[in-house]
């Protein structure tokens, strides 16, 4: 058995050996608590037949725990200085592969095709860099990758928004975008003390399980997201006022927006935060013809 990477003593030793200094701009807060890592891995529900994709392995703390339970781990790391360290710390785990790339620029679909031949169950598992949590999650969901879901550590405040229900102050276009694709649940609140260095904000782990079908299929997903984002531009404004500002020529098309709202039984003086995802889906489909008519 090898000594776990994720203990304060071993982590410090590794950092000293390589003279590594943290880059705040890359969201480098490493986990130094093996129990938390094991819990994260457990929430992912991996088996010896599974594959894991990790974003930002750091010095390999989570990678190691993933490598112990699944068939293969592929991790994207942006910081070149970590490559020799990972080579060293992960040498006991031949089922790991590090790709030196910004995950936001990576072709994850092709990587999955190349690296996970014969693996059907694939999860993304990560302690995400907090400066880019939302773009990373949205990229992984929008690209319709053959993954079962995502289990990741992120800022508690973002986790709250992702799993929020209608009628709460956290509910917004991010909740809708993510719950449209996945069942979202916050599974763990994590104290700052398990990180080195400690972040300024509280953290949480969320589990996103991809739906087989989107929650309420819509005519046009891009337009649906335009409508949902537009409905929250100013949270305190009514849905009609927000849509008039957000949709192309919205002010001139006020009557059409009002008629779409009434067609689906949504009062125009409601606020975005009170609409369920199903109501947004119906509204987006009712508005769609008015904003995609062919001009004669
Ligand atoms: N997984 C390690 C752990 O839990 O200790 C490190 C997590 S740390 C919060 C985030 C990691 O993501 C860092 O190693 C950082 O260099 C890396 N990173 C930051 N931005 C990235 C990006 N755009 N693509 C890939 N990796 C990135």
């Amino acid at each position: 058995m090898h000594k776990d990477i994720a203990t304060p003593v071993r982590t410090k030793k590794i950092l000293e050996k390589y003279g590594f200094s943290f880059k705040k701009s890359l969201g480098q807060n490493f986990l130094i608590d093996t129990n938390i890592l094991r819990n994260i891995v457990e929430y992912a529900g991996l088996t010896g037949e599974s594959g894991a994709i990790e974003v930002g392995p750091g010095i390999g703390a989570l990678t190691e725990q993933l490598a112990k339970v699944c068939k293969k781990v592929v991790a994207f790391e942006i910081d070149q200085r970590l490559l020799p360290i990972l080579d060293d710390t992960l040498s006991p785990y031949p089922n790991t592969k590090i790709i030196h790339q910004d995950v936001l620029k990576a072709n994850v679909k092709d990587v999955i095709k190349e690296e996970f031949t014969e693996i059907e169950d694939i999860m993304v598992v990560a302690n995400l860099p907090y400066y880019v949590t939302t773009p990373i999650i949205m990229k992984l969901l929008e690209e319709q990758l053959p993954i079962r879901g995502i289990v990741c550590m992120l800022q508690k405040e973002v986790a709250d928004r992702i799993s929020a229900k209608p009628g709460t102050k956290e509910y917004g276009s991010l909740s809708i975008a993510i719950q449209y694709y996945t069942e979202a649940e916050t599974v763990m609140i994590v104290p700052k003390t398990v990180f080195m260095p400690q972040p300024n904000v509280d953290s949480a782990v969320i589990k996103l399980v991809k739906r087989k079908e989107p929650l309420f299929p819509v005519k046009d997903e891009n337009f649906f997201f335009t409508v949902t984002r537009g409905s929250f531009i100013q949270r305190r404004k009514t849905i009609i006022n927000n849509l008039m500002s957000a949709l192309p020529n919205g002010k001139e098309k006020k009557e059409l927006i009002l008629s779409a709202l009434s067609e689906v039984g949504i009062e125009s003086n409601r606020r975005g935060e009170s609409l369920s995802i199903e109501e947004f889906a119906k509204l987006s489909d009712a508005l769609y013809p008015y904003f995609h008519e062919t001009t004669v």
Side-chain angles (χ1 to χ4, degrees):
M1 274 303 274
H2 305 278
K3 260 199 240 152
D4 286 316
I5 297 168
T7 64
V9 175
R10 174 105 198 268
T11 299
K12 262 191 211 135
K13 261 199 191 144
I14 295 168
L15 298 177
E16 272 167 26
K17 179 174 170 191
Y18 288 91
F20 183 82
S21 53
F22 294 102
K23 264 198 192 152
K24 214 175 166 186
S25 61
L26 290 180
Q28 293 179 335
N29 301 94
F30 296 170
L31 277 163
I32 48 164
D33 185 315
T34 314
N35 282 330
I36 297 272
L37 286 165
R38 288 203 191 107
N39 283 333
I40 295 175
V41 173
E42 205 166 310
Y43 279 118
L46 301 161
T47 71
E49 298 305 308
S50 310
I53 299 172
E54 190 188 352
V55 177
I59 58 169
L62 176 59
T63 328
E64 170 180 61
Q65 301 302 327
L66 289 166
K68 284 184 187 174
V69 298
C70 58
K71 194 164 183 181
K72 185 164 185 186
V73 188
V74 174
F76 293 92
E77 176 54 64
I78 199 171
D79 187 350
Q80 186 159 19
R81 300 172 307 152
L82 289 165
L83 303 186
I85 307 184
L86 287 162
D87 239 12
D88 177 3
T89 57
L90 296 176
S91 59
Y93 306 99
N95 58 340
T96 57
K97 170 154 183 173
I98 305 297
I99 298 181
H100 175 217
Q101 205 174 7
D102 176 346
V103 73
L104 291 173
K105 296 188 182 142
N107 186 336
V108 184
K109 207 175 240 172
D110 280 359
V111 168
I112 291 178
K113 250 192 226 147
E114 277 164 35
E115 302 293 339
F116 293 113
T117 40
E118 289 171 34
I119 295 183
E120 277 174 17
D121 180 54
I122 303 169
M123 283 294 279
V124 174
V125 188
N127 169 20
L128 290 176
Y130 289 0
Y131 75 105
V132 274
T133 3
T134 314
I136 292 176
I137 296 176
M138 288 315 298
K139 172 188 164 91
L140 296 171
L141 295 178
E142 280 170 357
E143 289 185 352
Q144 303 191 338
L145 306 171
I147 57 173
R148 176 160 52 85
I150 304 175
V151 170
C152 64
M153 176 90 75
L154 70 180
Q155 309 91 308
K156 181 177 173 300
E157 175 259 329
V158 180
D160 289 344
R161 287 199 280 132
I162 286 177
S163 48
K165 297 283 170 254
T168 61
K169 70 175 193 319
E170 290 81 16
Y171 181 69
S173 52
L174 183 65
S175 332
I176 297 167
I178 291 187
Q179 292 176 36
Y180 182 76
Y181 293 116
T182 70
E183 272 185 71
E185 190 190 354
T186 300
V187 290
M188 222 183 350
I189 308 292
V190 181
K192 293 176 186 169
T193 48
V194 301
F195 297 92
M196 186 188 288
Q198 295 188 14
N200 298 325
V201 294
D202 289 327
S203 301
V205 175
I206 54 164
K207 179 171 181 173
L208 307 175
V209 178
K210 263 177 59 182
R211 301 178 190 280
K212 299 261 178 297
E213 295 289 329
L215 193 50
F216 301 101
V218 290
K219 286 180 187 153
D220 181 316
E221 284 185 6
N222 284 335
F223 185 64
F224 170 72
F225 292 125
T226 305
V227 169
T228 54
R229 267 196 306 272
S231 303
F232 289 93
I233 291 180
Q234 289 191 278
R235 292 187 73 91
R236 299 165 69 81
K237 277 196 174 177
T238 59
I239 185 107
I240 178 66
N241 282 336
N242 269 335
L243 288 177
M244 274 171 24
S245 327
L247 295 175
N249 303 321
K251 289 201 174 60
E252 292 94 270
K253 292 188 173 180
K254 180 177 182 183
E255 289 310 316
L256 296 175
I257 301 175
L258 282 170
S259 107
L261 282 162
S262 113
E263 189 185 316
V264 292
I266 296 170
E267 289 185 15
S268 59
N269 62 358
R270 281 173 64 185
R271 289 189 186 146
E273 67 191 37
S274 79
L275 268 67
S276 67
I277 300 181
E278 183 176 12
E279 285 180 307
F280 273 118
K282 286 182 177 158
L283 176 59
S284 149
D285 279 1
L287 286 165
Y288 185 77
Y290 302 138
F291 290 88
H292 289 80
E293 65 215 333
T294 29
T295 39
V296 189

